Amino acid sequence: MDEIYMREALRIAAYASGRTTPNPLVGAVIVKDNRIVGQGWHRKAGTEHAEIHALHQAGELAKGADIYVTLEPCSHYGKTPPCCQAIIKAGIKRVIVAMTDPNPLVAGNGLKELKAAGIEVVEGVCRDEAEKLNEVFLKWIVHKMPFIVVKTAMTLDGKIATVSGDSKWITNEKSRKFVHQLRDLYDGILVGIGTVLADNPTLTTRLDHLGKNPVRIIVDSKARIPLDSIVITNKSAHTILAVTERASQEKIAALLQVGIEVIVTKEKADQVDLSDLLKILAEKNICSILVEGGSRINYSFFVEHLVDKVHCFIAPKIIGGTDAASPIGGKGTFYMKDAYQLNDITTERFDEDILITGYVR
Ligand SMILES: Nc1c(/N=C/[C@H](O)[C@H](O)[C@H](O)COP(=O)(O)O)[nH]c(=O)[nH]c1=O
Ligand SMILES: Nc1c(N[C@@H]2O[C@H](COP(=O)(O)O)[C@@H](O)[C@H]2O)[nH]c(=O)[nH]c1=O
Ligand SMILES: [Zn+2]
């Protein structure tokens, strides 16, 4: 029975997907005499935690009840009071958690406090599902780096555009809708200046229901970006330009003038040092970034070992062209043994398009 209630807590935790950053997704379910008497999920950073919502709903019925939480209840005073105290005060008898909280502020202290109060603690129910649900939070809180997802879309013969640069469209409506759901989910969307110059993209989230726009991050070491680019003139999302010392001061001043945030990073081989950029972005609570290319920037993320997850669309179209661009460009690995290996592979169909998803561990 513990798994059933924990799965319900995981299910409702996901209601706030993409909305709790930099906090994790957390769900809580309170059970008494085999009935759910209270449940709740964390909505937004700085607002009440999942356990508090569930305790409010259970009221008196929390006394002597079990609480299932997808993450170890917090024991520190962050933006909200500690859940452990509320759980103890409410007279909960047994706490079942899916995983401990890797946040150094919590990290096992919550469970210790609950045990010290004489509460029975069970840990590790549906741990794998809980860790997957919070793959973004786990990366950011432990490594202080954003969770990086590379999304590419290519024809069957492995190209992202024709020899003339035309790329509209490779994938179908359904596939492109999934990409907008990814934009709605993640905190940032990153492209290289090559993509801006080639496609003049908007990089906002266009879905039927209200979505949120990710922060647009353009890697452009010499600030070559034209001031009339859509990512500069379109104000429905914030835009960050990552440059190096090589960028001209006047261009930077002109960009600041039109509301663009400019980050000057360390330089690596004459280009933006991506690790340095990601460290700075993580400090700004940008906990996840969708990298949408182009081929050079994608390769840089792999060669710097910065990629966590890959979504690769393959459309059943063939365009040929020896010089047509492929999804991953750059210098390339010299030997097959040096290939970046994906694992935990899953595939999905979007009508005739195929999506392959994998992790770079
Ligand atoms: N050309 C294709 C893609 N092209 C992806 C490029 O990053 C392109 O610049 C952006 O998708 C443009 O964004 P926006 O629509 O202006 O917001 N990506 C896809 O998934 N399928 C394709 O067919
Ligand atoms: N969202 C969440 C938790 N989040 C934990 O608390 C930290 C944020 O605290 P605060 O700034 O007060 O919101 C966050 O980094 C994570 O460790 N804990 C929980 O018991 N239940 C919840 O629903
Ligand atoms: Zn809490």
Side-chain angles (χ1 to χ4, degrees):
M1 275 314 269
D2 281 354
E3 294 216 347
I4 293 175
Y5 292 124
M6 188 59 81
R7 288 220 157 78
E8 173 60 9
L10 287 162
R11 189 182 66 82
I12 62 174
Y15 285 163
S17 291
R19 298 293 182 271
T20 62
T21 210
N23 283 2
L25 293 167
V26 184
V29 166
I30 299 177
V31 177
K32 184 147 192 188
D33 307 327
N34 234 355
R35 281 179 43 241
I36 294 180
V37 294
Q39 62 181 40
W41 64 94
H42 184 49
R43 266 103 171 145
K44 193 167 173 293
T47 66
E48 290 191 314
H49 284 182
E51 301 90 321
I52 306 304
H53 287 295
L55 287 169
H56 280 166
Q57 207 179 66
E60 277 305 302
L61 292 174
K63 210 164 180 50
D66 295 351
I67 187 169
Y68 293 80
V69 198
T70 58
L71 182 78
E72 172 186 10
C74 68
S75 53
H76 71 290
Y77 275 86
K79 295 192 201 75
T80 57
C83 293
C84 282
Q85 273 179 27
I87 288 171
I88 295 164
K89 205 156 139 258
I92 290 282
K93 178 171 58 54
R94 191 164 81 109
V95 174
I96 303 94
V97 300
M99 58 183 280
T100 48
D101 184 337
N103 181 343
L105 286 173
V106 189
N109 299 333
L111 299 188
K112 256 193 238 123
E113 193 175 320
L114 293 168
K115 286 176 190 161
I119 292 176
E120 186 190 340
V121 171
V122 177
E123 195 222 321
V125 176
C126 301
R127 183 198 306 279
D128 294 352
E129 293 94 319
E131 287 177 351
K132 184 150 170 44
L133 176 75
N134 273 313
E135 58 187 7
V136 166
F137 175 70
L138 290 181
K139 170 77 187 283
W140 177 77
I141 199 77
V142 172
H143 300 283
K144 283 295 167 217
M145 287 287 268
F147 185 79
I148 299 298
V149 182
V150 169
K151 185 283 293 177
T152 66
M154 67 183 189
T155 57
L156 205 52
D157 55 333
K159 317 240 191 270
I160 59 170
T162 65
V163 284
S164 70
D166 183 23
S167 64
K168 303 226 180 326
W169 287 96
I170 296 168
T171 53
N172 63 33
E173 283 280 320
K174 280 187 183 169
S175 300
R176 295 205 306 272
K177 179 164 182 251
F178 178 82
V179 174
H180 282 273
Q181 288 165 345
L182 292 178
R183 293 180 176 184
D184 180 50
L185 189 60
Y186 295 122
D187 297 339
I189 182 166
L190 185 148
V191 293
I193 182 62
T195 291
V196 174
L197 298 174
D199 300 341
N200 194 17
T202 311
L203 301 181
T204 53
T205 300
R206 278 102 63 193
L207 290 168
D208 329 349
H209 67 278
L210 206 59
K212 71 150 184 53
N213 289 327
V215 174
R216 294 177 290 216
I217 302 150
I218 316 293
V219 177
D220 179 9
S221 60
K222 300 170 194 65
R224 287 186 291 147
I225 191 166
L227 289 175
D228 62 352
S229 306
I230 295 177
V231 291
I232 291 185
T233 57
N234 167 303
K235 293 301 175 194
S236 54
H238 179 51
T239 297
I240 295 176
L241 197 82
V243 304
T244 64
E245 300 288 350
R246 287 167 182 269
S248 78
Q249 288 310 314
E250 13 328 85
K251 182 62 173 287
I252 290 177
L255 288 160
L256 295 172
Q257 202 67 30
V258 291
I260 303 306
E261 183 177 356
V262 178
I263 294 179
V264 182
T265 72
K266 288 186 196 137
E267 201 169 276
K268 182 160 189 171
D270 296 351
Q271 294 189 301
V272 163
D273 178 332
L274 292 175
S275 303
D276 187 40
L277 171 61
L278 294 189
K279 201 160 64 54
I280 297 167
L281 293 173
E283 282 157 10
K284 292 170 174 290
N285 287 352
I286 294 176
C287 302
S288 56
I289 299 173
L290 178 64
V291 177
E292 278 217 42
S295 59
R296 277 194 306 280
I297 202 89
N298 286 346
Y299 180 69
S300 305
F301 269 88
F302 280 100
V303 84
E304 300 282 325
H305 301 290
L306 296 171
V307 182
D308 293 289
K309 189 171 187 177
V310 177
H311 284 304
C312 177
F313 278 101
I314 302 173
K317 296 180 177 175
I318 290 182
I319 55 174
T322 316
D323 302 335
S326 70
I328 313 291
K331 242 174 70 235
T333 56
F334 217 55
Y335 299 107
M336 277 312 287
K337 69 175 176 52
D338 301 330
Y340 299 96
Q341 182 68 48
L342 299 190
N343 41 48
D344 301 342
I345 300 294
T346 52
T347 56
E348 252 175 286
R349 284 292 296 272
F350 292 78
D351 287 346
E352 298 314 285
D353 289 354
I354 300 169
L355 171 63
I356 295 178
T357 299
Y359 288 84
V360 182
R361 290 229 197 280

